[in-house]
Amino acid sequence: MTGQTFIFCLGATKAGTSWLFDYLSNHRECHLPAMKELHYFDALEHDTGAFYRKEAQARLEAARTAAPTPWQKRLIADLERWLAVFDGKTRDDAAYLRYVREGGEAARVVGDFTPAYGLLKEKTLSAMAALTDKVRFVYLMRDPVDRIWSNIRMMAGNDGAALDAKVDGVLNGTADNILDRSNYRRTLNRLTRAIPREALHIEFYERLFTPDAIERLCAFLGITPQPASFDRVVHQSMKADLPMGQRAQLQAALKPQYNFVEKFMGELPPEWTQKMVSA
């Protein structure tokens, strides 16, 4: 389709990307693969394709045993197709584009929602920006401590000892992957060097679930806003409170991120600053 927009949503993890994926998947002017998180560009950059192929194969097996709903049938077809298209190591942008666009030739927006792309290097981001004539990037940010705590709860499940261990890992620098995903300064610096500023839409998680945020996003993508289920929870992590002492430690460790975002955006959401005062 002439003028079709290709969207990359590249994080941050646990900042509303799954909810936004569902919203755009159900938008009449958009078409997204049923399989969220293709991990095409990060597999190529980090040589992790074998791992992600194994994950996709496991997801395919699980989908085949689930109730055969229309969505499950589409997911199975998309997974089978993706495993046939991408071997995890061979770059073929044309095949990748055909995969994403298949079935959405008449859509105004197609794309790939892979939060891990937020960790990519500038060179890869530049290549992504040149993928088609009209590429747009969406980056969601959540209070850095809340994002880390949600990420930790997702990984630890109901294991209280694992919760403490992962918080300690973030504080002592051994849980790099978790900490990296709250490194908004690095990601935004790379993005603004790699792509035109007008091709980047940034939203705070704390403001995402509002009609105003949806109107801003749809205007950015050139589509008509449609009603959203703001109360729908997607991939909720296990509930657990972060002790105030640990919150204060994490906030101190992440202070450069808060400072950078405030300078970059011109403000911080009150939800961020209120927690900084109360910790």
Side-chain angles (χ1 to χ4, degrees), residues 1 4-5 28-31 103-110:
M1 174 183 173
Q4 189 177 65
T5 297
R28 59 185 175 274
E29 298 174 24
C30 301
H31 175 81
E105 290 81 4
R108 294 185 64 84
V109 174
V110 298

Side-chain angles (χ1 to χ4, degrees), residues 11-55:
T13 302
K14 305 305 292 181
T17 61
S18 292
W19 182 89
L20 186 56
F21 173 82
D22 280 4
Y23 173 76
L24 291 178
S25 291
N26 291 301
H27 194 289
R28 59 185 175 274
E29 298 174 24
C30 301
H31 175 81
L32 298 173
M35 178 188 174
K36 179 176 178 277
E37 303 195 26
L38 297 180
H39 290 287
Y40 174 68
F41 288 97
D42 57 323
L44 293 172
E45 182 175 298
H46 301 141
D47 194 24
T48 49
F51 170 80
Y52 288 121
R53 277 185 64 83
K54 187 175 179 181
E55 277 203 337

Side-chain angles (χ1 to χ4, degrees), residues 6-12 15-18 20-21 24 32 36-37 110-118 128 136-140 201 217:
F6 194 105
I7 176 181
F8 286 110
C9 183
L10 35 65
T17 61
S18 292
L20 186 56
F21 173 82
L24 291 178
L32 298 173
K36 179 176 178 277
E37 303 195 26
V110 298
D112 178 358
F113 271 58
T114 303
Y117 290 168
M128 292 162 64
R136 297 292 182 264
F137 293 77
V138 172
Y139 189 58
L140 306 178
H201 180 77
L217 174 72

